[in-house]
Amino acid sequence: MIKLEAQPDEIYDIELEHSLLEANEKLARQNRALLDEHGTTAIDFMGAIGSGKTTLITKLVEKLKNQCGVAVFNGDATTSEDADQIEKLGVPVVQIATINGCHLDANLVGKGLRKIDISKAKFIFIENIGNLICPAEFPLGSKARVVVVSVTEGPWMVRKHPHMFLGAQIVVINKIDLADAMGVSVEALINDVHTLKPDITVIPTSCKNGTGVDAVAQTLLAI
Ligand code: MG
Ligand code: ZN
């Protein structure tokens, strides 16, 4: 087998990328300061397309909206399907269309923060673009990052995307009701996560039937 691996100096846009990441981190710190000023906790949700980010956020909003203020930012490349679904719950929603951009960044989130009354939100849930690679490199100013991974993505999802998990505080392993049908071991996925990052919180869920959503809500309330 021929193996080819990009070296840092072979990637032509590396210097551009470096300053881009630095600029993003600065804006993320500004977002965080603004959120802290209002006592608002932003949580961002990352994960592949179809992992269940929108369904998890929907269930969390249903659970929390009567006890505290909740707002949702929906990152989406082009459509507003997810934002439309959340909006039906009667909470403030900001749809962020990246126009085919593959991740949210702190600039876009900062613009969103200026469109809502932050002081009314205890939580802002931010749904990132469905992608397990670059969102990890772009902090948004959130207090915690959640990765949603589902058993339908196969047994190697965690091992193949270590950066995503190393930068997160909470991992949700979703669609556990389908684990047997998929031949995927939830225990093995949990072990993979803990091998990468022993102190991370891992919560198995089935967002469709509500299993584990309470545990996610309690974890977020304790942040
Ligand atoms: Mg979604
Ligand atoms: Zn990207």
Side-chain angles (χ1 to χ4, degrees):
M1 180 199 308
I2 299 167
K3 289 191 177 181
L4 196 60
E5 191 175 74
Q7 299 301 312
D9 58 358
E10 283 183 321
I11 298 175
Y12 298 124
D13 60 354
I14 192 74
E15 279 187 25
L16 176 68
E17 189 179 305
H18 185 69
S19 58
L20 181 78
L21 292 178
E22 257 175 25
N24 182 74
E25 272 164 33
K26 188 174 167 203
L27 290 171
R29 284 194 295 274
Q30 289 173 5
N31 288 347
R32 180 61 179 278
L34 181 66
L35 290 160
D36 285 349
E37 221 172 89
H38 291 88
T40 303
T41 301
I43 308 285
D44 67 293
F45 294 78
M46 308 179 289
I49 296 168
S51 57
K53 298 182 295 300
T54 311
T55 309
L56 175 60
I57 291 171
T58 301
K59 298 280 176 173
L60 288 170
V61 170
E62 284 170 349
K63 219 166 254 300
L64 295 170
K65 68 175 183 177
N66 294 326
Q67 69 182 91
C68 59
V70 182
V72 177
F73 289 9
N74 277 103
D76 214 310
T78 49
T79 70
S80 67
E81 258 87 11
D82 293 355
D84 293 343
Q85 180 180 324
I86 307 275
E87 196 160 47
K88 287 183 196 146
L89 303 174
V91 296
V93 176
V94 177
Q95 193 234 344
I96 304 177
T98 59
I99 315 301
N100 292 325
C102 48
H103 56 267
L104 289 182
D105 63 28
N107 173 53
L108 289 168
V109 169
K111 282 187 180 175
L113 291 176
R114 282 159 185 85
K115 301 255 181 228
I116 63 163
D117 185 351
I118 304 173
S119 61
K120 287 195 177 143
K122 154 120 180 84
F123 284 114
I124 298 177
F125 296 143
I126 304 169
E127 178 176 352
N128 218 311
I129 305 296
N131 169 357
L132 275 169
I133 310 285
C134 54
E137 300 211 56
F138 289 84
L140 306 176
S142 62
K143 209 175 249 181
R145 310 195 89 177
V146 180
V147 183
V148 184
V149 57
S150 75
V151 300
T152 52
E153 293 157 41
W156 313 119
M157 223 35 197
V158 178
R159 295 177 186 205
K160 285 184 177 181
H161 304 92
H163 282 293
M164 204 68 186
F165 296 89
L166 289 170
Q169 288 71 40
I170 301 162
V171 174
V172 170
I173 296 179
N174 193 25
K175 308 191 189 179
I176 55 168
D177 53 315
L178 299 176
D180 284 347
M182 292 304 300
V184 170
S185 161
V186 174
E187 283 307 311
L189 286 173
I190 294 172
N191 282 338
D192 282 351
V193 177
H194 280 144
T195 302
L196 276 175
K197 196 175 180 184
D199 62 343
I200 202 165
T201 303
V202 184
I203 305 170
T205 63
S206 170
C207 291
K208 207 162 189 181
N209 67 29
T211 306
V213 176
D214 244 330
V216 180
Q218 293 310 319
T219 303
L220 298 183
L221 284 166
I223 281 170

